[in-house]
Amino acid sequence: MGRPQVWDYWRPIGSGIGIVELGTVRGRDVALPVHFHREDQVTFVLAGRRRFVIAGDLCEAGPGEGVHIPAGLPHRSLSGPDEVVCVNLYTPPGLHAAPEVIAGLARHWRRTGGLGWADLTRIAEDHRRSIGTGVEPASAFTGGEAWGSVGEAARRAGMSREGYTRRFRKTHGVPPHAFGLQERLNEARLLLRAGEPIAAVAADTGFTDQSHLGRCFRRAFGVTPGRYRAG
């Protein structure tokens, strides 16, 4: 049997609150490899335990608890013995006060025993900053630059390619080529949200073909490009 579908995404229309998208995660096989987002991520757990490795540290959240993952921070998620049910909120970097959003979600969840999309967006709006922090995702290079560009970056830094790669991995949590691939996947995510055809997105972001994009996209985000685009 194939891997069960546990991720779903939804993009609110006309909310005016700066939410890029919302998501749900439901299932046991919720592990994803190291990746990062261009948006801030708030994960709020409704059932089970959600487990992440962030900057080398294990972070866990149970029912009524949340985790904030800043934009550009590499992380991976782990599976557990029990089914997980949680919601994800993705917003532009620094636009919402994440700790206050999590606290507001927890209060609502304890009071009502539930959490709908309207509740999630309302609570996020309650803790939207009047002016964003201006924080941008950390990036040493963008656009999925090829391995040759890594060599050029190493030369500019006065380092060997291997030494530069070791330092890059220590700083960013992933080697340069994996960082570049993730940047391309995040660009594909942006284009798919805009409704661009999958084949065109694959070509525009440097993947060999639609199938190549599909394999990499699902591995990073747990969902196919087609299903993500339909969100």
Side-chain angles (χ1 to χ4, degrees):
M1 295 178 62
R3 180 179 182 178
Q5 179 66 49
V6 294
W7 273 265
D8 274 303
Y9 295 92
W10 174 65
R11 291 174 282 282
I13 298 173
S15 64
I17 60 175
I19 292 178
V20 175
E21 65 186 4
L22 304 166
T24 59
V25 180
R26 180 187 295 269
R28 293 184 179 179
D29 184 12
V30 297
L32 290 177
V34 176
H35 65 287
F36 59 87
H37 303 278
R38 291 180 177 177
E39 304 83 24
D40 285 348
Q41 174 181 332
V42 168
T43 292
F44 188 79
V45 180
L46 304 175
R49 296 194 68 80
R50 194 76 200 274
R51 304 165 66 229
F52 297 97
V53 177
I54 306 173
D57 295 325
L58 177 64
C59 300
E60 296 190 63
E65 299 175 336
V67 175
H68 170 223
I69 305 175
L73 183 62
H75 58 281
R76 62 189 175 99
S77 58
L78 307 175
S79 294
D82 301 317
E83 182 179 69
V84 171
V85 181
C86 67
V87 294
N88 290 342
L89 170 69
Y90 301 93
T91 64
L95 185 61
H96 294 79
E100 286 81 1
V101 170
I102 292 172
L105 295 173
R107 285 193 298 270
H108 180 88
W109 184 82
R110 287 195 299 267
R111 186 173 65 251
T112 68
L115 185 64
W117 291 129
D119 304 318
L120 188 63
T121 54
R122 175 183 55 78
I123 292 167
E125 173 67 1
D126 288 345
H127 300 290
R128 178 176 178 171
R129 294 186 171 104
S130 57
I131 300 177
T133 63
V135 175
E136 295 294 334
S139 176
F141 61 92
T142 59
E145 297 180 26
W147 179 246
S149 297
V150 177
E152 179 59 31
R155 285 191 291 273
R156 291 198 301 268
M159 303 175 68
S160 68
R161 184 181 299 182
E162 292 74 17
Y164 177 82
T165 298
R166 286 195 297 271
R167 188 179 73 174
F168 189 101
R169 183 165 191 164
K170 182 177 180 180
T171 300
H172 297 281
V174 292
H177 68 275
F179 189 99
L181 173 61
Q182 188 61 42
E183 280 283 75
R184 290 160 56 201
L185 288 169
N186 281 327
E187 181 66 19
R189 191 167 167 138
L190 179 66
L191 295 173
L192 290 167
R193 283 202 298 262
E196 294 294 325
I198 299 172
V201 171
D204 290 346
T205 51
F207 290 90
T208 304
D209 53 27
Q210 185 171 326
S211 295
H212 183 205
L213 170 63
R215 291 192 300 273
C216 295
F217 196 94
R218 181 166 185 172
R219 183 171 185 270
F221 302 126
V223 66
T224 65
R227 188 176 179 95
Y228 181 82
R229 182 177 181 272

